[in-house]
Amino acid sequence: MYTELHVRSAFSFLAGASLPEELASVCAEREMEAMAVLDRDGMYGAPRFYLAAKKINVRALIGAEVTSEEGWRYPLLVESRQGYQNICRLITRMKLRAQKGEGQISREELENGASGLICLTGGEEGPLAHAMASGGMDAATKCVQQLGEIFGSRNVYVELQRHYCRDEEVRNQRALEIAHKLNLPILATNGVCYALPEQREVLDVFSCVRHHRMLATAGRLLARNAERHLKSTAEMQKLFADLPEAIANTQVLASRLQFTLNDLGYQFPIYPVPDGRSQMQFLRDRTYDGLLSRYGEDNERARKQIAHELDVIERLDLAGYFLIVWDIIRFCARQNILVQGRGSAANSAVCYALGITAVDPVGMELLFERFLSEERGEWPDIDLDLPSGDQRERAIQYVYERYGKLGAAMTANVVTYRGRSAAREIGKAFAFDVEVLNRLTSLVGAWEYKDANDTLERQFQDAGLDLQHPQIRKFCELCLRFQDLPRHLGQHSGGMVVCQGQLDAVVPLEPATMPGRVVVQWDKDDCADMGIVKVDLLGLGMMAVLEDSLKIISDDYGEEVDLSRLPANDKLVYSTLQKADTVGMFQIESRAQMACLPRLKPTCFYDIVVQVAIIRPGPIVGQMVNPYLKRRQGREPANCLHPSLEQVLARTLGVPLFQEQLLRIAMIAAGFSGGEAEELRRAFGFKRSEKRMREVEYKLRRGMEKNGIIGETQETIIRSITSFALYGFPESHAASFALLAYASAYLKCHYLAAFTAAMLNNQPMGFYQPPSLVTDAQRHGLRVRPIDITCSDWLCTLEKIDGKFAVRLGLRYVKGLRGDIGAEIVRERGIHSFTSVDDLKRSVPRIQKEELAVLAEIGALNKLGNQRAFHRRSALWQVERTARSSGPLYERSDDSGADVFVDSSLDDSGAASSPLAPMNAEQRLVADYRGTGMTVGPHPMSYHRAELQKMGVRCAAELACLPDGMHVRIAGGVIARQRPGTAKGFVFLSMEDETGIANAIISPQLFEKCHIVVVHQQFLLIEGQLQNQDNVVSVKSQRIEPLTITHAPTSSHDFH
Amino acid sequence: MSFAAIHIPDFIVQAIVRSEPTLRGRAVAIVDGTPPLWSVVATNPAALQIGIELGMAKSQAAQFTAVEIRHRSAAQEKTAHEALLDLGWSVSPRVEDTAPDTVVVDLAGLGVLFGPDEKIAHELATRSTGLGLNARVAVAATSIEVAVLAARGFPGVTLIEPGEEAKSLSGLPVHRLLPSFEILETLARWGVETCGALAALPVIQLSERLGQEGVRLHTLARGAFERSLVLAKPSVSFQEEMELDDSVEELESLSFLLGRLLDQLCARLAARSLSARAIGMEFDLERSFEKDLQRSARSGQQKLVPRKFEKILTLPVPMRDAKLLLKLVRLRLQADPPSAAITKITMSAEPDRPRTTQRGLFLPASPEPEKLELTMARLANLVGEANVGSPQLMDTHRPDAIRMERFRLAQAAAAGGRKKKLNTSPFESAGKKTRADIAGAEKPANGFRFFRPDVPARVELRDGLPARLFFNGLRGEVVAVAGPWRTSGDWWQEPWDQAEWDVEVRFSTSSQTSKRAANSFHSAKSVNSRGLYLIYYDARQQGWFLRGSYD
């Protein structure tokens, strides 16, 4: 029996071509009991390999190829936990002192960390081959002797690989001599780089990517043949028929390698508790303190729930974890950083009492077991939302400081090949020229929905590639094979892991591209799967908007708004939501949400929770949306599935909408415990397995039968659970988001100017782009002032005009204006007001001509001329002169004050009278969009309203008043295009005009016909049937035509 | 004094249409790029009208059935340009080669010969049609640039009266003045779109803003820019073409025509005291679909055989002996004749200074370069062009991959080698070094004799190992075997997949036929004895071959 002990997976980043799961699966097919994956300088693929192997009863042996200072790679296998810790530390050490993606280990380091490791002499990149090539037999013998000294002679195996290569066999014969001479065991391996022979092509392209070569010129950098695949015992026995000992030794060595990732030795850090109390006692005290402030003294239900939760936490020994998260929350509170826990943590009354979350789980009857259960044996998952940007960075740095460089790290994000990146890199290897590559990658986009025709092949055809050409066919084939293969390691946006003591003994750490950041080699799922506790410090744009809004309100309005004390049932908020007037509001602003709001008509906070959760794939795929809305409108009875479930489903009118309801249904109808119910959710979740689902379903049916639920009712319940579990949304998570949605709605309704300024200052975020946010705010009566060099700050600010607040656009919206120049402009302006373009240039000498020209073009310099007729072109005329450095003769004399050879056309302010004609409306529009991406003037459509009316085009605001079924023509600028995965190929367009947003629906057939127009044209004329039901208005398109409204480069937010 | 500017609009398209008159009046799109990825680089107005856009992929353009797609031809553009110059020279010796699509003719003194300027302009337009080009002609009294701008900006024949320059040009877009990108952008920001608008700007203030370039453009826009004519230099390219009414198939008939062309070329070279470093030949071949189809079926390729046949005769030293050159050309064509009858011959000479080297008195005698070249050509004629030269290893795992480089005398090679060293890419040198290192590190015990081409063989296997070998009538028992050594690659274009074996073969001597065959194939020494061979199985051809033998 043969065991493959030298395999590189695709996590060797461009040096292996198969995912660990595929390797494990082929290993099982080849009937091998174990296999060792040795990725390059890392443990990147180890968790995925371990988990995949575990499922199919393959023993996952671990190791790594570690790069030496001399350039060779030691293949190291982990024998024991100490070996694992050593190899993790070795890799961490070499990585942290080098540039990202580099690093070498010294002999001394290896000597100090060799215990528990077994070293192979390697293949063509190994120490033996290297020594033999450079110094012949003597050097090779010496090299192997040295390995014996470092690792101990018992722990060195002379590795033999046979890939049908002459020079390799020469080396093998010499290696055999050395093994014999030094009395070392020999070991057969296949130096595997891919699971199946055909994947050699992927490896060849990877080699090109790695060496920045093309296939045609890569020569012998490419593989000699396709023999580095995973071979069966029979194949290997045949290859090594003359050396049966080499095969037998694989078994012997495999049996020595007892370490698996099951035995990581990870410990969560201990929170330093004062006064010698236990962590648990300290947590209890803090929780009960919170209980009093959150619930008061008399809330017995809350007290009981908290007691229950604390008991569970104590039994699971998780007090330290809660205290550490609480510690981060306290830091944020001290630093005035807005923070809110979300996700399943919001199910916990302890989290609520500790101030980690803001949703009352007792009041909302949320299910604690969704968060934490004794049966599951998993770490809880607490996600903290922080304002994106600097505030979140401060929280992250705090965790680093608190737990030390080797005690905390960010989780990684494995960047994988997708359509565009694959096409680009393979295209380069195929030597396609840059223009073709750009055309190709710009077209290889993908809508969320893909119809049968929307294949990669079709996209390539659209890009002008001839698929009959064999090379192009091969290119397309490779693009498909590249999908999901790892490209490099990135940094996860917020996941942090912490460890008691040395995290580098658990998983190797490496430097992130961002200075001061360290990342672990595993992504967040791997960390969770390996039982490493993760705290997600996520940046949420809306948190930053709320925080900024509060500051603006405090500074400009002179009012203090406390988000935790917002009026609970603000009428204006609810009436606004009912009208779906929600542009800019968190989570309820999308087209789909807007289409639902007038039907759902929220009247209380819980309705917002439902609203947030209902437009999700779960309810949509599970066909829950329409029944719920019909019941809500009283059009069908709110029957629960079974009388016993009334308590669970009554709140959602008998329609299960949340994951918690699903768990409770299982608990009530089938007598499941909380943990079993959570197990059920997982069984039907994303990583579903048929076997596990069948087992759980059987258990569910048996439980229901016991409770007398049989027949049709049982089937309905089973159907609901199985269809919904996949995409369900936790109620606690929805509630956390609903809080933010309500807060954003409240601020928008009552402090529109502040909210708009904050939204504009935190772009990009949300569903709409800045021009749409501005247009929406203007429709609500807010005045938005253009950028003006004499009063705009870097950020958007408020000004008071006629007693009303207006938003002044900030310099941040000037395209191409550098941040430091913007800051300098504001600083200099604080010292003295600019009097002319020349004065501006003198005050901010580093400003470049192009920056000045953009400022002039958008009208930001209009106030610098002292004539009334000073317009954008006057400023441009002036900028051109100012930016051109004059010779010394033309400089003003400072000493005498006399002007020498000064242009006679200059007036007192130094501004020349301009011979240029002022811009017309269209030219101003083009300049605004080109220079700022938006206009604060009239909407482009408004300039053509008269002609459009003659054409019978209705404006967006009119549509709501027209009858359902009417044939209409609408026109507007496209602000969003969507093709959701759940919409069976339908495309949804949001089109904006000066009166509002109109929605159009395009059938797959029409989309097929008008694909180019729909995707590429910014202004469209659409003719079709009006659908106006329950105040939800859209046009079912029948004909689509492009419109020429403006040459301004408007843009849209496309969800491809 | 007045000047006539002759401009060919859509020059790239017209250059093609000129050689293919049937395209006249049709929508034509010209594509260019790296095969197989072509995009549209030029069109005529008819093509634009039906929706063709510049930059469009060839496959997209092909969806418009009414458009004729042709590939861009630098050669045809060059000959069209030469024809344009000829057009100018046909009326005056004072011609300026302004741009590939524009020339300017000094009309001073031509009135006596041709009449008034207007008549000359119309005459030029008419003559351009005779040359297969559709030219725009503009005559300006004083300014060359005004004439050029008018020819580029206005269709047909334009006459600009003295004093009317600014008015005539005022409607032209400013980009016709060919300003720099930066200035064009500034003008666009200013809203200055026409020459008239630019001319209206105050020139001093303009100079403060756009510098001397601004002033120049301003002067141009006013039609006041004056400069001298830059006379076109006589051509440094030597090319002769011959279109044949009846296609030629026989080499003898062709030789006569080639000789004539070579005589003309050599005479022109001699007049300029130059010699030819290389002779380029391009033959247009007659299209025969039946033959093409047969050929493509034989070769298993989808694409049709090309319509052109090109040969370049690179000479070791510059020469202009027409007879010697004809011999070399004939030998080259004998060795590799065109695949079809010839309809057009284009012959060009790459000029160079004649050889003036004096031989060293004490240098060893080496053959005359001209004679050596003749000998090499004769050899190539005998053994095939690809089999003459110095073999060079290629950077690939493909076994037996070599390319033949031109054989040079030691001196020339040394000089060339030095030169080449400078131009060698780091990769090439690194690759060669590695190869050499490996060769050095593992010096083969035996020499190896390649069989070229590889010899087809039949192999009987026993337990998966070669047991008997049959080739060229020989039969041998395999007594020892090592292998297989597998290589495969080039999977993206022309894949190969081979398994090599080193075999020791003991030949059977029973048959007289075998003996004879062996004698004819191999040295008699190997018969009745053992031989060490390298055989391989080609998985793509599914057959066995002998690559060579070990000494």
Side-chain angles (χ1 to χ4, degrees), chain A residues 166 200 213 220 225 465 850 877 884 903, chain B residues 37 189 208-209 395 427 486 488 491 500:
Chain A
R166 280 191 171 81
R200 167 262 178 99
R213 293 282 159 77
R220 281 161 297 131
N225 54 34
L465 295 183
E850 189 53 33
W877 182 249
R884 184 174 283 268
D903 181 356
Chain B
L37 306 153
R189 275 185 168 140
E208 287 175 342
R209 284 155 181 86
D395 179 29
F427 171 65
R486 288 188 180 151
S488 60
W491 44 265
E500 291 180 349

PDB file of all heavy atoms in Angstrom, chain A residues 166 200 213 220 225 465 850 877 884 903, chain B residues 37 189 208-209 395 427 486 488 491 500:
ATOM      1  N   ARG A 166      15.106  11.575 -17.573  1.00  0.00           N
ATOM      2  CA  ARG A 166      16.445  10.998 -17.503  1.00  0.00           C
ATOM      3  C   ARG A 166      17.263  11.590 -16.352  1.00  0.00           C
ATOM      4  O   ARG A 166      17.821  10.880 -15.536  1.00  0.00           O
ATOM      5  CB  ARG A 166      17.193  11.262 -18.809  1.00  0.00           C
ATOM      6  CG  ARG A 166      16.832  10.331 -19.923  1.00  0.00           C
ATOM      7  CD  ARG A 166      17.812  10.511 -21.070  1.00  0.00           C
ATOM      8  NE  ARG A 166      17.606   9.466 -22.059  1.00  0.00           N
ATOM      9  CZ  ARG A 166      16.660   9.499 -22.968  1.00  0.00           C
ATOM     10  NH1 ARG A 166      15.846  10.529 -23.016  1.00  0.00           N
ATOM     11  NH2 ARG A 166      16.515   8.520 -23.833  1.00  0.00           N
ATOM     12  N   ARG A 200      -2.238  19.646 -15.586  1.00  0.00           N
ATOM     13  CA  ARG A 200      -0.889  20.145 -15.874  1.00  0.00           C
ATOM     14  C   ARG A 200      -0.953  21.446 -16.669  1.00  0.00           C
ATOM     15  O   ARG A 200      -0.116  22.330 -16.511  1.00  0.00           O
ATOM     16  CB  ARG A 200      -0.153  19.044 -16.648  1.00  0.00           C
ATOM     17  CG  ARG A 200       1.125  19.447 -17.308  1.00  0.00           C
ATOM     18  CD  ARG A 200       0.917  19.754 -18.785  1.00  0.00           C
ATOM     19  NE  ARG A 200       2.149  20.197 -19.392  1.00  0.00           N
ATOM     20  CZ  ARG A 200       2.948  19.414 -20.106  1.00  0.00           C
ATOM     21  NH1 ARG A 200       2.622  18.173 -20.315  1.00  0.00           N
ATOM     22  NH2 ARG A 200       4.048  19.889 -20.627  1.00  0.00           N
ATOM     23  N   ARG A 213       5.840  35.327 -17.881  1.00  0.00           N
ATOM     24  CA  ARG A 213       6.191  34.895 -19.239  1.00  0.00           C
ATOM     25  C   ARG A 213       4.928  34.541 -20.005  1.00  0.00           C
ATOM     26  O   ARG A 213       3.853  34.438 -19.430  1.00  0.00           O
ATOM     27  CB  ARG A 213       7.054  33.618 -19.183  1.00  0.00           C
ATOM     28  CG  ARG A 213       8.393  33.828 -18.600  1.00  0.00           C
ATOM     29  CD  ARG A 213       9.301  34.490 -19.632  1.00  0.00           C
ATOM     30  NE  ARG A 213      10.419  35.132 -18.970  1.00  0.00           N
ATOM     31  CZ  ARG A 213      11.471  34.488 -18.496  1.00  0.00           C
ATOM     32  NH1 ARG A 213      11.564  33.212 -18.626  1.00  0.00           N
ATOM     33  NH2 ARG A 213      12.433  35.147 -17.898  1.00  0.00           N
ATOM     34  N   ARG A 220      11.533  25.910 -20.957  1.00  0.00           N
ATOM     35  CA  ARG A 220      11.667  24.838 -19.969  1.00  0.00           C
ATOM     36  C   ARG A 220      11.226  25.255 -18.559  1.00  0.00           C
ATOM     37  O   ARG A 220      11.418  24.519 -17.613  1.00  0.00           O
ATOM     38  CB  ARG A 220      13.100  24.315 -19.971  1.00  0.00           C
ATOM     39  CG  ARG A 220      13.345  23.351 -21.134  1.00  0.00           C
ATOM     40  CD  ARG A 220      14.798  23.181 -21.444  1.00  0.00           C
ATOM     41  NE  ARG A 220      15.380  24.423 -21.869  1.00  0.00           N
ATOM     42  CZ  ARG A 220      16.524  24.897 -21.364  1.00  0.00           C
ATOM     43  NH1 ARG A 220      17.168  24.239 -20.437  1.00  0.00           N
ATOM     44  NH2 ARG A 220      17.003  26.046 -21.801  1.00  0.00           N
ATOM     45  N   ASN A 225       6.369  17.039 -18.547  1.00  0.00           N
ATOM     46  CA  ASN A 225       5.278  16.152 -18.937  1.00  0.00           C
ATOM     47  C   ASN A 225       4.169  16.266 -17.890  1.00  0.00           C
ATOM     48  O   ASN A 225       4.230  17.162 -17.044  1.00  0.00           O
ATOM     49  CB  ASN A 225       5.772  14.699 -19.069  1.00  0.00           C
ATOM     50  CG  ASN A 225       6.473  14.210 -17.805  1.00  0.00           C
ATOM     51  OD1 ASN A 225       6.084  14.601 -16.702  1.00  0.00           O
ATOM     52  ND2 ASN A 225       7.494  13.389 -17.953  1.00  0.00           N
ATOM     53  N   LEU A 465     -14.021  37.070 -30.032  1.00  0.00           N
ATOM     54  CA  LEU A 465     -13.117  35.919 -30.141  1.00  0.00           C
ATOM     55  C   LEU A 465     -13.765  34.822 -30.973  1.00  0.00           C
ATOM     56  O   LEU A 465     -14.951  34.550 -30.829  1.00  0.00           O
ATOM     57  CB  LEU A 465     -12.788  35.374 -28.744  1.00  0.00           C
ATOM     58  CG  LEU A 465     -12.013  36.294 -27.828  1.00  0.00           C
ATOM     59  CD1 LEU A 465     -11.718  35.591 -26.530  1.00  0.00           C
ATOM     60  CD2 LEU A 465     -10.711  36.711 -28.481  1.00  0.00           C
ATOM     61  N   GLU A 850      -3.849  71.001 -14.004  1.00  0.00           N
ATOM     62  CA  GLU A 850      -5.024  70.185 -14.267  1.00  0.00           C
ATOM     63  C   GLU A 850      -6.041  70.334 -13.128  1.00  0.00           C
ATOM     64  O   GLU A 850      -7.255  70.388 -13.363  1.00  0.00           O
ATOM     65  CB  GLU A 850      -4.593  68.721 -14.424  1.00  0.00           C
ATOM     66  CG  GLU A 850      -5.656  67.766 -14.909  1.00  0.00           C
ATOM     67  CD  GLU A 850      -6.350  68.194 -16.196  1.00  0.00           C
ATOM     68  OE1 GLU A 850      -5.696  68.824 -17.043  1.00  0.00           O
ATOM     69  OE2 GLU A 850      -7.562  67.934 -16.318  1.00  0.00           O
ATOM     70  N   TRP A 877      -9.743  80.546 -18.774  1.00  0.00           N
ATOM     71  CA  TRP A 877      -8.845  81.431 -19.510  1.00  0.00           C
ATOM     72  C   TRP A 877      -7.741  81.920 -18.577  1.00  0.00           C
ATOM     73  O   TRP A 877      -6.571  81.944 -18.918  1.00  0.00           O
ATOM     74  CB  TRP A 877      -9.684  82.589 -20.049  1.00  0.00           C
ATOM     75  CG  TRP A 877      -8.947  83.595 -20.876  1.00  0.00           C
ATOM     76  CD1 TRP A 877      -8.669  84.881 -20.522  1.00  0.00           C
ATOM     77  CD2 TRP A 877      -8.402  83.424 -22.185  1.00  0.00           C
ATOM     78  NE1 TRP A 877      -7.998  85.522 -21.527  1.00  0.00           N
ATOM     79  CE2 TRP A 877      -7.804  84.639 -22.572  1.00  0.00           C
ATOM     80  CE3 TRP A 877      -8.349  82.347 -23.066  1.00  0.00           C
ATOM     81  CZ2 TRP A 877      -7.177  84.819 -23.798  1.00  0.00           C
ATOM     82  CZ3 TRP A 877      -7.724  82.520 -24.288  1.00  0.00           C
ATOM     83  CH2 TRP A 877      -7.146  83.741 -24.647  1.00  0.00           C
ATOM     84  N   ARG A 884       0.922  78.705 -16.428  1.00  0.00           N
ATOM     85  CA  ARG A 884       2.132  78.751 -17.238  1.00  0.00           C
ATOM     86  C   ARG A 884       3.128  79.674 -16.549  1.00  0.00           C
ATOM     87  O   ARG A 884       2.851  80.860 -16.386  1.00  0.00           O
ATOM     88  CB  ARG A 884       1.784  79.251 -18.632  1.00  0.00           C
ATOM     89  CG  ARG A 884       2.940  79.249 -19.602  1.00  0.00           C
ATOM     90  CD  ARG A 884       2.412  79.613 -20.969  1.00  0.00           C
ATOM     91  NE  ARG A 884       1.740  78.456 -21.563  1.00  0.00           N
ATOM     92  CZ  ARG A 884       2.355  77.576 -22.345  1.00  0.00           C
ATOM     93  NH1 ARG A 884       3.631  77.728 -22.621  1.00  0.00           N
ATOM     94  NH2 ARG A 884       1.707  76.564 -22.847  1.00  0.00           N
ATOM     95  N   ASP A 903       1.037  92.196 -18.403  1.00  0.00           N
ATOM     96  CA  ASP A 903       0.005  92.122 -19.447  1.00  0.00           C
ATOM     97  C   ASP A 903      -1.002  93.252 -19.273  1.00  0.00           C
ATOM     98  O   ASP A 903      -1.627  93.391 -18.229  1.00  0.00           O
ATOM     99  CB  ASP A 903      -0.687  90.749 -19.319  1.00  0.00           C
ATOM    100  CG  ASP A 903      -1.748  90.559 -20.374  1.00  0.00           C
ATOM    101  OD1 ASP A 903      -1.992  91.504 -21.139  1.00  0.00           O
ATOM    102  OD2 ASP A 903      -2.315  89.458 -20.415  1.00  0.00           O
TER     103      ASP A 903
ATOM    104  N   LEU B  37      -6.975  37.944 -33.475  1.00  0.00           N
ATOM    105  CA  LEU B  37      -7.803  38.971 -32.859  1.00  0.00           C
ATOM    106  C   LEU B  37      -7.635  40.276 -33.621  1.00  0.00           C
ATOM    107  O   LEU B  37      -6.730  41.055 -33.336  1.00  0.00           O
ATOM    108  CB  LEU B  37      -7.384  39.132 -31.394  1.00  0.00           C
ATOM    109  CG  LEU B  37      -7.415  37.806 -30.639  1.00  0.00           C
ATOM    110  CD1 LEU B  37      -6.454  37.810 -29.502  1.00  0.00           C
ATOM    111  CD2 LEU B  37      -8.802  37.503 -30.170  1.00  0.00           C
ATOM    112  N   ARG B 189     -12.055  72.784 -23.623  1.00  0.00           N
ATOM    113  CA  ARG B 189     -12.558  73.380 -22.387  1.00  0.00           C
ATOM    114  C   ARG B 189     -12.992  74.828 -22.624  1.00  0.00           C
ATOM    115  O   ARG B 189     -13.932  75.303 -22.008  1.00  0.00           O
ATOM    116  CB  ARG B 189     -11.466  73.347 -21.324  1.00  0.00           C
ATOM    117  CG  ARG B 189     -11.434  72.045 -20.579  1.00  0.00           C
ATOM    118  CD  ARG B 189     -10.417  72.108 -19.475  1.00  0.00           C
ATOM    119  NE  ARG B 189     -10.551  70.981 -18.581  1.00  0.00           N
ATOM    120  CZ  ARG B 189      -9.535  70.327 -18.055  1.00  0.00           C
ATOM    121  NH1 ARG B 189      -8.309  70.671 -18.340  1.00  0.00           N
ATOM    122  NH2 ARG B 189      -9.754  69.317 -17.237  1.00  0.00           N
ATOM    123  N   GLU B 208       0.386  83.866 -24.096  1.00  0.00           N
ATOM    124  CA  GLU B 208       0.645  83.727 -22.661  1.00  0.00           C
ATOM    125  C   GLU B 208       0.123  82.399 -22.130  1.00  0.00           C
ATOM    126  O   GLU B 208       0.583  81.894 -21.121  1.00  0.00           O
ATOM    127  CB  GLU B 208      -0.055  84.854 -21.893  1.00  0.00           C
ATOM    128  CG  GLU B 208       0.606  86.199 -22.055  1.00  0.00           C
ATOM    129  CD  GLU B 208      -0.208  87.288 -21.380  1.00  0.00           C
ATOM    130  OE1 GLU B 208      -1.403  87.077 -21.090  1.00  0.00           O
ATOM    131  OE2 GLU B 208       0.360  88.345 -21.153  1.00  0.00           O
ATOM    132  N   ARG B 209      -0.879  81.893 -22.801  1.00  0.00           N
ATOM    133  CA  ARG B 209      -1.525  80.693 -22.281  1.00  0.00           C
ATOM    134  C   ARG B 209      -1.043  79.408 -22.979  1.00  0.00           C
ATOM    135  O   ARG B 209      -0.861  78.387 -22.321  1.00  0.00           O
ATOM    136  CB  ARG B 209      -3.037  80.837 -22.428  1.00  0.00           C
ATOM    137  CG  ARG B 209      -3.599  81.766 -21.379  1.00  0.00           C
ATOM    138  CD  ARG B 209      -4.895  82.441 -21.771  1.00  0.00           C
ATOM    139  NE  ARG B 209      -5.333  83.324 -20.692  1.00  0.00           N
ATOM    140  CZ  ARG B 209      -4.925  84.585 -20.560  1.00  0.00           C
ATOM    141  NH1 ARG B 209      -4.073  85.102 -21.444  1.00  0.00           N
ATOM    142  NH2 ARG B 209      -5.344  85.318 -19.547  1.00  0.00           N
ATOM    143  N   ASP B 395      14.844  26.573 -26.455  1.00  0.00           N
ATOM    144  CA  ASP B 395      14.463  26.466 -25.046  1.00  0.00           C
ATOM    145  C   ASP B 395      13.097  25.794 -24.934  1.00  0.00           C
ATOM    146  O   ASP B 395      12.067  26.435 -24.861  1.00  0.00           O
ATOM    147  CB  ASP B 395      14.405  27.871 -24.432  1.00  0.00           C
ATOM    148  CG  ASP B 395      13.987  27.817 -22.976  1.00  0.00           C
ATOM    149  OD1 ASP B 395      14.274  26.786 -22.325  1.00  0.00           O
ATOM    150  OD2 ASP B 395      13.356  28.766 -22.495  1.00  0.00           O
ATOM    151  N   PHE B 427      16.633  36.244 -20.742  1.00  0.00           N
ATOM    152  CA  PHE B 427      16.038  34.920 -20.655  1.00  0.00           C
ATOM    153  C   PHE B 427      16.760  33.933 -21.550  1.00  0.00           C
ATOM    154  O   PHE B 427      17.104  32.843 -21.154  1.00  0.00           O
ATOM    155  CB  PHE B 427      14.565  34.992 -21.043  1.00  0.00           C
ATOM    156  CG  PHE B 427      13.974  33.626 -21.169  1.00  0.00           C
ATOM    157  CD1 PHE B 427      13.861  32.813 -20.061  1.00  0.00           C
ATOM    158  CD2 PHE B 427      13.591  33.144 -22.406  1.00  0.00           C
ATOM    159  CE1 PHE B 427      13.348  31.542 -20.188  1.00  0.00           C
ATOM    160  CE2 PHE B 427      13.074  31.886 -22.530  1.00  0.00           C
ATOM    161  CZ  PHE B 427      12.955  31.075 -21.432  1.00  0.00           C
ATOM    162  N   ARG B 486       9.335  10.372 -20.618  1.00  0.00           N
ATOM    163  CA  ARG B 486       8.160  10.970 -21.255  1.00  0.00           C
ATOM    164  C   ARG B 486       8.274  12.478 -21.345  1.00  0.00           C
ATOM    165  O   ARG B 486       8.690  13.139 -20.386  1.00  0.00           O
ATOM    166  CB  ARG B 486       6.903  10.635 -20.446  1.00  0.00           C
ATOM    167  CG  ARG B 486       6.541   9.196 -20.611  1.00  0.00           C
ATOM    168  CD  ARG B 486       5.204   8.889 -19.998  1.00  0.00           C
ATOM    169  NE  ARG B 486       4.927   7.472 -20.202  1.00  0.00           N
ATOM    170  CZ  ARG B 486       4.197   6.728 -19.394  1.00  0.00           C
ATOM    171  NH1 ARG B 486       3.663   7.266 -18.318  1.00  0.00           N
ATOM    172  NH2 ARG B 486       4.013   5.472 -19.661  1.00  0.00           N
ATOM    173  N   SER B 488       5.899  15.860 -22.962  1.00  0.00           N
ATOM    174  CA  SER B 488       4.724  16.357 -23.676  1.00  0.00           C
ATOM    175  C   SER B 488       4.670  17.855 -23.465  1.00  0.00           C
ATOM    176  O   SER B 488       5.247  18.375 -22.515  1.00  0.00           O
ATOM    177  CB  SER B 488       3.449  15.692 -23.149  1.00  0.00           C
ATOM    178  OG  SER B 488       3.287  15.956 -21.777  1.00  0.00           O
ATOM    179  N   TRP B 491       0.649  22.211 -25.499  1.00  0.00           N
ATOM    180  CA  TRP B 491      -0.738  21.781 -25.566  1.00  0.00           C
ATOM    181  C   TRP B 491      -1.664  22.874 -26.089  1.00  0.00           C
ATOM    182  O   TRP B 491      -2.779  22.622 -26.462  1.00  0.00           O
ATOM    183  CB  TRP B 491      -1.201  21.310 -24.178  1.00  0.00           C
ATOM    184  CG  TRP B 491      -0.762  22.223 -23.077  1.00  0.00           C
ATOM    185  CD1 TRP B 491       0.334  22.094 -22.303  1.00  0.00           C
ATOM    186  CD2 TRP B 491      -1.385  23.441 -22.666  1.00  0.00           C
ATOM    187  NE1 TRP B 491       0.441  23.137 -21.423  1.00  0.00           N
ATOM    188  CE2 TRP B 491      -0.613  23.980 -21.624  1.00  0.00           C
ATOM    189  CE3 TRP B 491      -2.533  24.128 -23.064  1.00  0.00           C
ATOM    190  CZ2 TRP B 491      -0.932  25.170 -20.992  1.00  0.00           C
ATOM    191  CZ3 TRP B 491      -2.854  25.307 -22.427  1.00  0.00           C
ATOM    192  CH2 TRP B 491      -2.061  25.818 -21.415  1.00  0.00           C
ATOM    193  N   GLU B 500      10.092   8.068 -24.750  1.00  0.00           N
ATOM    194  CA  GLU B 500      11.343   7.584 -25.346  1.00  0.00           C
ATOM    195  C   GLU B 500      11.849   6.351 -24.605  1.00  0.00           C
ATOM    196  O   GLU B 500      11.651   6.224 -23.387  1.00  0.00           O
ATOM    197  CB  GLU B 500      12.432   8.664 -25.232  1.00  0.00           C
ATOM    198  CG  GLU B 500      12.193   9.871 -26.092  1.00  0.00           C
ATOM    199  CD  GLU B 500      13.304  10.908 -25.925  1.00  0.00           C
ATOM    200  OE1 GLU B 500      14.123  10.776 -24.999  1.00  0.00           O
ATOM    201  OE2 GLU B 500      13.334  11.828 -26.726  1.00  0.00           O
TER     202      GLU B 500
END
